[in-house]
Amino acid sequence: MKKLILIAIAFVGLQASAQELKKEKHNRGERAEKMMKISAEEMATLQTKKMTLHLDLTESQQAKIQKINVENATKRKAMMEARMAKKENGELKKLTDDERLKMANAKLDHKIAMKAKMKNILNDEQFAKWEKSQMRYHKKGKMEGMKKRMHKEKQD
């Protein structure tokens, strides 16, 4: 009898966590739609203002970082639009290992270049603070990815 109750409780717990994941997935879709409506310049301005508050940037630093953020936001927006177009046309396919490796290398090259640019713009204290926030952001992303993989394995 106790085993039956424990199994029932475990089943209810799994149902609740599965529903939460569905909600997160739905919210992510809404967020992507909202981001598509915002222009690259607006995205860059928001990001620059957040960085200004976080790092206490000077006017000249803000201008330099704004320029970098506009470039990055424009590239990101173009990539998102291309991906959405492929998805709508049914052309979206899984990447091959070579394509995945190429994308990972390009992403890392971009991160290295971004780090060098930020090092030239920020002072030592600001750069350390920026680097710490970047690490925290990437750790959070890795943890979310790990949770998704674990959930996917449970479904299989």
Side-chain angles (χ1 to χ4, degrees), residues 5-93:
I5 292 172
L6 287 174
I7 292 172
I9 291 172
F11 183 71
V12 170
L14 287 173
Q15 283 293 98
S17 65
Q19 289 175 356
E20 288 176 20
L21 287 173
K22 286 180 185 176
K23 287 179 186 176
E24 286 177 17
K25 202 172 196 177
H26 180 69
N27 290 341
R28 207 174 312 129
E30 290 175 2
R31 184 173 179 221
E33 285 180 24
K34 287 179 184 177
M35 291 304 284
M36 290 298 288
K37 293 178 184 176
I38 297 175
S39 72
E41 289 78 21
E42 291 170 333
M43 278 190 233
T45 301
L46 289 173
Q47 189 174 12
T48 303
K49 287 182 178 182
K50 286 179 184 179
M51 289 177 76
T52 300
L53 289 172
H54 182 68
L55 301 173
D56 195 29
L57 301 175
T58 64
E59 292 290 324
S60 64
Q61 287 175 326
Q62 286 179 40
K64 292 174 186 174
I65 290 176
Q66 174 73 17
K67 185 179 175 185
I68 293 170
N69 285 340
V70 168
E71 290 173 12
N72 291 340
T74 305
K75 287 179 187 175
R76 256 193 333 268
K77 187 134 178 105
M79 288 174 57
M80 272 182 13
E81 288 172 353
R83 183 170 169 80
M84 292 298 274
K86 283 183 179 180
K87 190 175 183 180
E88 288 174 3
N89 294 336
E91 298 173 7
L92 192 64
K93 59 178 173 59

Side-chain angles (χ1 to χ4, degrees), residues 89-151:
N89 294 336
E91 298 173 7
L92 192 64
K93 59 178 173 59
K94 277 199 165 189
L95 297 174
T96 64
D97 289 341
D98 290 336
E99 291 171 330
R100 195 176 306 273
L101 179 64
K102 187 178 177 182
M103 282 182 64
N105 277 323
K107 187 176 181 180
L108 290 172
D109 288 341
H110 175 74
K111 283 183 181 183
I112 291 167
M114 183 70 175
K115 189 173 182 176
K117 289 177 186 177
M118 294 303 281
K119 192 166 186 105
N120 289 334
I121 295 170
L122 302 175
N123 64 33
D124 293 338
E125 182 182 324
Q126 290 171 328
F127 183 75
K129 196 171 183 181
W130 176 79
E131 209 168 29
K132 186 177 178 183
S133 68
Q134 293 297 305
M135 294 302 278
R136 192 176 312 132
Y137 173 76
H138 292 294
K139 272 188 179 179
K140 181 181 176 188
K142 285 182 180 179
M143 290 301 291
E144 288 174 1
M146 190 169 71
K147 286 179 185 176
K148 287 178 197 173
R149 284 190 298 275
M150 288 175 61
H151 178 70

